Amino acid sequence: HERFLEKLEHVGKDRSVDGIILRVNTPGGGVVESDEIHDQIVKVQEKYDKPVYVSMGNTAASGGYYVSAPADKIVAHPATLTGSIGVIMESMNFAELADQVGIDFNTIKSGEFKDIMSQNREMTDQERDILQTMVDDMYADFVDVIVEGRDMAESKVRELGDGRVYTGSQAADNGLVDALGSMEDTVSMMKKDFDWPNAKVVEYKGGFEWNQFLSSSVKSMFGQETELLDIQELLRQSNGPRAMYLYSK
């Protein structure tokens, strides 16, 4: 995530780059991460005065749409799954199973809500209200991002943003995307829109790819401190529930 933000900043500063096409192919992700990418895209547009187009892949839902919203033009394949505007926070509860197998949990806490969303007991109505308020606040931020990025009325965004997914064709019909086409079509649109018929297209690849990971020796792999930290961060984030802009099948 940090490398991607740094890459956006680099492309923004690079005077040899006149426009950016962001390929979005994701069901979404963390609320904070989505917002940071969104803000970096807006920064590139405003600080460096560069157009940003989005080309949607198979899926560009929830957080994928959140980061797409500020783009100057959004292009989706007719069969792209997008939308899923909303916030989800969930965890498993295995209290009943624990009772059946005779497992006891001992919890010492400093405050009533310290173990909110605990997996070993039922959630109280008050706890549910607290979490619902948090989710509603984050949903309101999502709505604001689309209102501003798409120049769409809030009432329309909330009507569309009930969590459902749309095909690319449906998204085009309701104004969530601007055009239908492939990545190549998006490139052609940018060239035509800005009269850059001879523009050179350069593809920026990810800084850490799994084929590189698998082909590296253990010694060389863990000799790179930043890559080790990436793995540690991945493991840390997977432990425990959090709010997500995520399309979950």
Side-chain angles (χ1 to χ4, degrees), residues 63-163:
Y65 190 79
Y66 189 103
V67 302
S68 301
D72 297 278
K73 179 172 285 188
I74 302 176
V75 183
H77 187 278
T80 294
L81 290 181
T82 187
S84 187
I85 299 166
V87 187
I88 187 169
M89 182 185 291
E90 58 184 3
S91 68
M92 293 187 295
N93 183 287
F94 46 79
E96 187 174 339
L97 175 62
D99 288 340
Q100 292 176 3
V101 298
I103 299 175
D104 291 327
F105 296 92
N106 298 309
T107 303
I108 310 299
K109 55 185 180 179
S110 60
E112 180 181 358
F113 303 110
K114 185 60 179 175
D115 64 339
I116 197 168
M117 289 193 80
S118 171
Q119 296 179 325
N120 56 45
R121 64 173 177 79
E122 293 294 326
M123 182 181 297
T124 68
D125 291 340
Q126 191 173 6
E127 288 172 332
R128 190 174 298 277
D129 290 341
I130 291 172
L131 295 173
Q132 186 64 57
T133 299
M134 293 168 56
V135 167
D136 290 344
D137 286 346
M138 287 181 280
Y139 174 69
D141 291 339
F142 201 155
V143 170
D144 289 343
V145 161
I146 300 174
V147 168
E148 183 175 347
R150 298 298 298 167
D151 192 23
M152 188 180 291
E154 180 179 342
S155 59
K156 180 66 174 179
V157 175
R158 289 184 177 273
E159 177 186 344
L160 296 171
D162 59 2

Side-chain angles (χ1 to χ4, degrees), residues 8-21:
L8 275 176
E9 176 71 14
H10 169 75
V11 174
K13 289 180 178 178
D14 191 339
R15 294 183 179 180
S16 68
V17 176
D18 292 316
I20 300 165
I21 296 176

